[in-house]
């Protein structure tokens, strides 16, 4: 018999706050975390805005010496994991370490370290490149560091599927528990992409918003005036457990993961097909995996990046799967507030979705002032909405045509 999988801990480092409570308060208030970039000089860049994490001090979460040997993305991951462990009231010394693992996602990994050390190589020569360069840079180091910190010797894997990375990690962690391969999994994603070369790359492919004079209004999913996504950074971690394991230790339960689906567009490196068929397949598979009817879904946390093609494709995908029920659904994109966290997006957005079910409050899509006629669903424009929803779905779609959907149910 398949194990039921529940969420018992959550932690977040985001542009809206350095814990889940502040993050959630920011979303409910419709607050934007977007501003002028401070992490590097944007003088020669068309895009000068982003959703940076403010006030993050690694030493608040870890030893200073350890922090210096971690890329910023790993620091985010470890900080969020510490909060998730505390939230779950876990004592790792009481866990069966071989039945506890880590599945984690990052679209880029240690981009800041990579950028800095390439500069050292070019300017000072190979002898000055840090011996910590490789272990700081590689994308699996966040998962490795979390496992080392808490002695978790079970399944360990990193998913690198662009902006679907965290959702894929969460879905695969859910499967590992459901299928009996683990009792507890630490999962989520982190990203720290605020370096000049990544901005130049995304900017030159015209993916980023250039609404520099109004940073807080730049991320505007489903709005007719959208002109690209706003890059964000941060990390989100969820503790998943089998219901049996959670109940045996008297854990508080935030919600239940009931379905996961993933699918490829097999279409284009960076653009979705116009009908969003890959995303539609991911949603269809997740719904089938959950064993529910489409009409059971009451809220969708959309991928909703604020790109011209992507928002239309996702809207069409929702209509293809839900039919007339698509117009009864509440849909919102929290990226309008916290920006696009790339490989970490699915983690913080699933946390937002779980909190929406717990609190009976659906986060808004801010800056939706003139809806695109092609985007005609209920996107909760402007302000949060009180609503009791039992089941919700969170989408993440990535470059390469990789799509992942996770479904959660309110715990009662």
């Amino acid at each position: 018999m398949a194990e039921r999988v529940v969420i018992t801990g959550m932690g977040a480092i985001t542009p809206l706050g350095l814990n889940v409570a502040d993050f959630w308060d920011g979303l409910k208030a419709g607050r934007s975390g977007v501003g002028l970039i401070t992490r590097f000089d944007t003088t020669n860049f068309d895009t000068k805005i982003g959703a940076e994490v403010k006030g993050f001090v690694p030493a608040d979460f870890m030893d200073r010496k350890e922090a210096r040997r971690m890329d910023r993305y790993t620091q985010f991951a470890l900080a969020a994991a510490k909060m998730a462990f505390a939230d779950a009231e876990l004592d790792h010394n009481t866990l069966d370490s071989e039945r506890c693992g880590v599945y984690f996602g990052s679209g880029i990994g240690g981009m800041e370290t990579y950028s800095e050390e390439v500069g050292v190589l070019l300017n000072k020569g190979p002898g000055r490149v840090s011996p910590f360069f490789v272990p700081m840079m590689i994308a699996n180091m966040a998962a490795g560091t979390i496992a080392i910190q808490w002695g978790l010797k079970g399944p360990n894997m990193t998913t690198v599927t662009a902006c679907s990375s965290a959702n894929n990690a969460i879905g695969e962690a859910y499967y590992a528990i459901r299928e009996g391969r683990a009792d507890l999994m630490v999962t989520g994603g982190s990203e720290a992409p605020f370096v000049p070369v990544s901005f130049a790359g995304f900017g030159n492919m015209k993916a980023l918003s250039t609404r520099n004079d109004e940073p807080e209004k730049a991320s505007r999913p489903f709005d007719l005036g959208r002109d690209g996504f706003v890059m964000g950074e941060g990390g989100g971690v969820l503790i998943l457990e089998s219901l049996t394991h959670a109940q045996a230790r008297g854990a508080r339960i935030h919600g239940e993961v009931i379905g996961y689906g993933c699918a490829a567009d097999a279409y284009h490196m960076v653009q979705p097909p116009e009908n969003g068929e890959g995303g539609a397949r991911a949603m269809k598979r997740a719904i089938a995996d959950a064993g529910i009817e489409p009409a059971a879904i009451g809220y969708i946390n959309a991928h909703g990046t604020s790109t011209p093609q992507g928002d239309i494709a996702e809207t069409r995908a929702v209509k293809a799967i839900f039919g007339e029920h698509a117009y009864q659904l509440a849909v919102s994109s929290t990226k309008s507030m916290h920006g696009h966290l790339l490989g970490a997006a699915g983690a913080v957005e699933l946390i937002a979705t779980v909190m929406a079910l717990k609190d009976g409050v659906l986060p808004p899509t801010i800056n939706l002032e003139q809806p695109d006629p092609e985007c005609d669903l209920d996107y909760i424009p402007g302000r949060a909405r009180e609503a009791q929803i039992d089941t919700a779905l969170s989408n993440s779609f990535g470059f390469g045509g990789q799509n992942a959907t996770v479904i959660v149910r309110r715990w009662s």
Side-chain angles (χ1 to χ4, degrees), residues 53-134:
V53 168
K54 302 291 198 309
F56 177 71
V57 179
D60 290 344
F61 301 95
M62 64 203 76
D63 179 78
R64 291 179 188 273
K65 184 177 179 181
E66 289 180 349
R68 287 197 298 269
R69 295 177 179 179
M70 295 179 197
D71 187 87
R72 186 171 169 88
Y73 99 101
T74 303
Q75 294 172 353
F76 288 158
L78 188 61
K82 285 195 171 185
M83 286 185 279
F85 264 80
D87 182 45
E89 298 182 338
L90 278 171
D91 177 358
H92 71 280
N93 294 309
T94 66
L95 299 174
D96 180 349
S97 63
E98 295 187 9
R99 297 282 301 168
C100 303
V102 185
Y103 282 178
F104 210 72
S106 184
I108 303 174
M111 192 66 179
E112 189 170 281
T113 297
Y114 191 94
S115 179
E116 289 174 355
E117 293 301 320
V118 167
V120 171
L121 173 67
L122 295 177
N123 295 316
K124 298 181 180 180
R128 299 295 297 276
V129 172
S130 171
F132 296 104
F133 166 52
V134 173

Side-chain angles (χ1 to χ4, degrees), residues 124-257:
K124 298 181 180 180
R128 299 295 297 276
V129 172
S130 171
F132 296 104
F133 166 52
V134 173
M136 288 175 67
M137 174 271 297
I138 50 181
N140 68 308
M141 195 47 64
T145 298
I146 292 169
I148 292 166
Q149 181 72 31
W150 286 282
L152 308 179
K153 300 176 181 178
N156 193 293
M157 181 173 68
T158 296
T159 56
V160 181
T161 50
C163 305
S164 296
S165 297
N167 256 14
N168 280 130
I170 294 164
E172 297 298 331
Y174 156 68
Y175 277 175
I177 297 171
R178 191 179 72 173
E179 295 168 3
R181 291 182 281 117
D183 297 325
L184 180 150
M185 295 294 294
V186 183
T187 188
S190 64
E191 206 80 88
F194 280 87
V195 295
V197 68
S198 64
F199 256 75
F202 280 114
N204 290 345
M205 64 187 294
K206 307 302 181 186
L208 299 177
S209 172
T210 57
R211 194 184 287 258
N212 299 313
D213 55 338
E214 295 181 299
E216 294 182 350
K217 293 187 175 182
S219 184
R220 42 197 318 113
F222 311 111
D223 187 82
L224 191 62
R226 68 191 183 280
D227 69 331
F229 76 85
V230 174
M231 190 179 289
E233 63 174 349
V237 171
L238 301 97
I239 305 292
L240 305 188
E241 295 184 58
S242 70
L243 179 60
T244 302
H245 189 270
Q247 289 180 330
R249 68 180 191 85
R252 177 185 57 177
I253 294 172
H254 293 300
E256 182 178 6
V257 181

